[in-house]
Amino acid sequence: MRIQFAALTCLTLLAGCGSSGGTNGGSASTSFTGVVSAIDGTTTGALSFAIATASPDVGVPTGVALVQSSVTGTLKFNGLPAIQLTGTYESTTGALTLSGGGYSFTGTFDGQSSVQGTFTGPNGASGGFATTETSSSSTASNYCGSYARNDLSDAGTFSVVISGSSILGRWASSVDGSTGGLSGSVSGNNLTINVSPAGTVATGTRSGTTISGTFTDPNSGGSGTWQGAVCQ
């Protein structure tokens, strides 16, 4: 899902800009979709949002004021009602903020195609999120699932967004509270996922609305299985 962020600058609209910048609420927008994973290792969901700007450039010449772009989005944890979110995007730093329903998201655009960050929520909830750009010519699917080691020493949840040939996501253990990122690639229906920071490699397949496979921990030699389906 290819999307473009960009802030409106005084460099491009010299005649109409002041020295302090403003808010861009134009009709052009850039869309992102992805997943959230709470650190409790039991809660996953989907996140999507649109930034009211057509270009994602990060950083401008010193002394040039930038316009903040408004952001609207939707958060949906598996099996729960959708929550509406609003916020801003600042192209000087690539920083994005979103909030709604007691949840607050803070993330950063990587300058290429993704926004990743963390969130907090009601009753001490917290976790991470990973999103990728989307467009009319590029679609993405969000998957939520669980994993477990064969020796039952660890288990938890994961969520990934698959866009084209790339995979991006988060995982969290329900045993020790550890958490981290997921990245990988798709070749046909075959998936290869790198787990950070552990260095574990997971492999599997995609079949319709489900994904599944196995993983091996290079540090301990332990292994396990994982499975998921399109986030609901």
Side-chain angles (χ1 to χ4, degrees):
M1 304 178 179
R2 179 72 184 148
I3 308 174
Q4 292 184 327
F5 282 138
L8 195 56
T9 71
C10 291
L11 187 64
T12 58
L13 290 182
L14 185 60
C17 288
S19 60
S20 61
T23 300
N24 178 15
S27 58
S29 66
T30 298
S31 299
F32 285 76
T33 189
V35 292
V36 296
S37 177
I39 62 173
D40 62 7
T42 64
T43 308
T44 57
L47 172 68
S48 62
F49 55 84
I51 302 175
T53 183
S55 172
D57 299 338
V58 176
V60 293
T62 302
V64 177
L66 285 177
V67 176
Q68 282 189 334
S69 299
S70 60
V71 185
T72 57
T74 302
L75 168 67
K76 190 177 188 311
F77 288 107
N78 266 5
L80 297 176
I83 298 170
Q84 300 306 308
L85 306 172
T86 59
T88 59
Y89 171 73
E90 172 58 73
S91 65
T92 310
T93 59
L96 176 137
T97 60
L98 279 170
S99 62
Y103 290 89
S104 296
F105 290 78
T106 302
T108 304
F109 177 53
D110 69 355
Q112 299 181 21
S113 62
S114 71
V115 176
Q116 299 188 61
T118 60
F119 73 88
T120 59
N123 303 315
S126 63
F129 73 92
T131 63
T132 187
E133 296 182 31
T134 60
S135 71
S136 58
S137 61
S138 174
T139 60
S141 297
N142 300 322
Y143 294 87
C144 296
S146 61
Y147 72 90
R149 286 177 61 115
N150 292 329
D151 61 7
L152 304 182
S153 63
D154 189 29
T157 58
F158 72 89
S159 52
V160 295
V161 53
I162 299 179
S163 176
S165 61
S166 66
I167 300 172
L168 192 65
R170 302 286 304 177
W171 65 271
S173 170
S174 60
V175 175
D176 61 13
S178 58
T179 184
L182 302 170
S183 63
S185 60
V186 181
S187 178
N189 286 317
N190 297 314
L191 315 178
T192 300
I193 304 173
N194 300 305
V195 183
S196 64
T200 300
V201 176
T203 59
T205 58
R206 174 174 54 179
S207 178
T209 59
T210 64
I211 56 177
S212 61
T214 61
F215 64 86
T216 301
D217 183 343
N219 299 309
S220 66
S223 60
T225 61
W226 57 271
Q227 53 281 317
V230 170
C231 301
Q232 299 295 321

